[in-house]
Amino acid sequence: MKTKYILTTCLLFLFFRGTLYAQKPLSIGDKIPDVLLKSMLNYSSSSARFSEFGDKAVILDFWFIGCGSCRDAMPHLDSISKKYKDDVRVLLVTWEDKKNVEEFFRDNPIGRSVKFTQVVNDSTLKKLFPARGFPHQVWIDKTGVVRSINDGTHTNDINIDKFISGQPLHIPLKADELDGKVGFAEEPQISYYFESNKKNILNYSYFSKYRKEFIGGSGIEVDTVNQLVRFQCRNVDFLGLYDRAYASLLGNPDLHRPTRMIRLDGGKLNIHGDYTTFSDIYCYDLIYKGKDKVSGPWTFGQHMVIDLDNFFNVKSHLETRQIECYVIKDNGTSKNYINALPGESIKGFLVGEKLEKGKLFRVNRYLSESLKELLNTYSDKPIYIELALGKRISFEMVWNPDNLAEMNSNLEKFGLQINLQNKDRDVIVLEKKQ
């Protein structure tokens, strides 16, 4: 009784082991099991064990009737089969019905010109060697060991001779993606195996409306190994996108939004996004092949302008125009602006976060570049501060652009003056696309 139990267990183990093993895909170096091929064509019997072909090396060529490349390869395979008939057996394999295969080889001109031993109605070999791309070939030596899995483009005399003699084969492995969702790219293509496919990217761009999960801003990354540049904008408005495209990574350092863009396109799109309702705000992602390590990262604007113009259906360009500006500079009487305001010691201090007509604006030891950016955010005209870079300045005045004399009287004690002056400014012009 005990012996019977052990025997039964062993038989069950061998049964399940054989079943599982037969369904597991094989790789190069694996040995093919002695599977049963249930339906044969042009063979001495209607079925066969794989071991019956052990007197020769075997090339399994998987095909189906609708595969044009498979059909076109048949004459070449036929010549290989005849030339190496003493050493290699070319065995065609298809899951298609035997009757349909017979009709093809009877009615098709290519089919009538060749004759192969075939496995038809196959459900066994395709589990051992699954594929999605065809032609699909598997080379198995006389010992049953898989030596190559390839796409059939390397089936030539040189490789066949190496195969027969047991020399190393340097044939690229055909690696099929078996996940149908990936194979048919149901998700955006760039989302699959991004890291391993970086070297293959030539150009990619993505454009969307506001995305709440992103922190606003922009950034650039340079992959010197794959020579890729990635530039992205997160939740940036229309003008901000164009400004970055025509200026630099962070946009124009002298950005004055009211005069940065001239609209000749007749469009009604709001160039200033609403950061309360998050309308007219966009996300943009660009990846492209950089030509060289120096200029590559800074050519993103060329790609970006094309994308923006296409999406917004406009034609844009950059030109220089004379724009009336406010200019704050040293009046030559004193340099009191370099000192702290009386009674103040905190650097970067200001009263009034924006310029408002008729209200006092006080600045204490504020960096001139940062101050210029702040003032340009709120003024009706662009503002220049023509003082030494990196200097902290202090002053106070009542903002009244209609009365420059009054503002100059406020600034005089600090050694400053403010005047109107025409300056060359780069402006973005939008026109109708022809």
Side-chain angles (χ1 to χ4, degrees), residues 79 82 124 128 247 250 382 417:
S79 65
K82 291 175 180 177
T124 301
L128 290 175
L250 298 176
Q417 61 180 331

Side-chain angles (χ1 to χ4, degrees), residues 130-258:
R132 282 195 175 273
F134 295 86
H136 181 65
Q137 285 188 8
V138 181
W139 295 14
I140 304 168
D141 65 22
K142 289 198 296 184
T143 67
V145 175
V146 179
R147 295 284 307 283
S148 175
I149 299 175
N150 61 75
D151 61 5
T153 58
H154 300 272
T155 308
N156 52 48
D157 291 349
I158 294 175
N159 287 323
I160 295 292
D161 288 336
K162 289 181 179 179
F163 178 42
I164 294 170
S165 62
Q167 296 179 53
L169 294 172
H170 302 289
I171 301 175
L173 172 67
K174 178 176 178 285
D176 284 86
E177 176 54 62
L178 301 178
D179 185 338
K181 291 183 177 180
V182 178
F184 292 100
E186 293 185 11
E187 300 292 332
Q189 295 178 18
I190 199 166
S191 65
Y192 296 107
Y193 309 124
F194 176 74
E195 288 298 326
S196 59
N197 278 285
K198 274 186 175 181
K199 63 182 181 297
N200 298 320
I201 297 175
L202 298 176
N203 187 276
Y204 161 85
S205 61
Y206 163 83
F207 206 31
S208 80
K209 292 183 178 180
Y210 170 77
R211 300 263 313 253
K212 64 181 180 180
E213 65 271 32
F214 294 156
I215 298 171
S218 59
I220 195 165
E221 302 171 27
V222 181
D223 180 347
T224 56
V225 174
N226 296 294
Q227 292 188 315
L228 287 177
V229 179
R230 180 190 179 198
F231 176 73
Q232 58 164 314
C233 291
R234 303 174 305 277
N235 297 330
V236 175
D237 66 9
F238 179 93
L239 177 57
L241 291 172
Y242 269 103
D243 182 54
R244 286 163 171 81
Y246 277 107
S248 69
L249 168 63
L250 298 176
N252 194 309
D254 296 326
L255 180 63
H256 181 253
R257 298 181 73 88

Side-chain angles (χ1 to χ4, degrees), residues 47 66 77 92 259 277 284 414:
S47 63
L77 282 174
L92 266 58
T259 58
T277 62
Y284 176 75
F414 299 99

Side-chain angles (χ1 to χ4, degrees), residues 264-382:
L264 303 178
D265 61 310
K268 297 180 180 180
L269 182 70
N270 185 5
I271 66 173
H272 307 292
D274 186 335
Y275 285 88
T276 301
T277 62
F278 302 107
S279 59
D280 299 319
I281 296 173
Y282 306 93
C283 294
Y284 176 75
D285 204 357
L286 168 70
I287 301 176
Y288 67 95
K289 210 72 160 178
K291 293 183 179 179
D292 58 72
K293 294 180 181 179
V294 178
S295 63
W298 309 111
T299 59
F300 67 84
Q302 300 172 14
H303 302 267
M304 189 174 178
V305 166
I306 294 172
D307 283 340
L308 295 178
D309 283 3
N310 285 338
F311 182 79
F312 293 114
N313 196 33
V314 298
K315 183 179 180 181
S316 68
H317 69 274
L318 196 68
E319 65 179 62
T320 302
R321 293 195 179 189
Q322 286 268 303
I323 304 293
E324 190 175 52
C325 306
Y326 297 113
V327 179
I328 299 174
K329 58 185 179 180
D330 191 317
N331 68 6
T333 60
S334 71
K335 294 190 182 298
N336 289 336
Y337 58 83
I338 68 174
N339 302 317
L341 292 177
E344 302 290 353
S345 60
I346 302 175
K347 291 181 181 180
F349 172 84
L350 56 86
V351 173
E353 294 184 357
K354 60 182 179 179
L355 294 176
E356 292 184 275
K357 188 174 181 179
K359 292 191 176 182
L360 182 68
F361 187 83
R362 301 179 73 223
V363 179
N364 186 66
R365 302 284 291 153
Y366 213 86
L367 279 171
S368 58
E369 294 90 341
S370 300
L371 180 61
K372 179 176 64 174
E373 183 178 342
L374 175 68
L375 295 178
N376 273 300
T377 303
Y378 299 106
S379 65
D380 59 326
K381 294 179 175 66

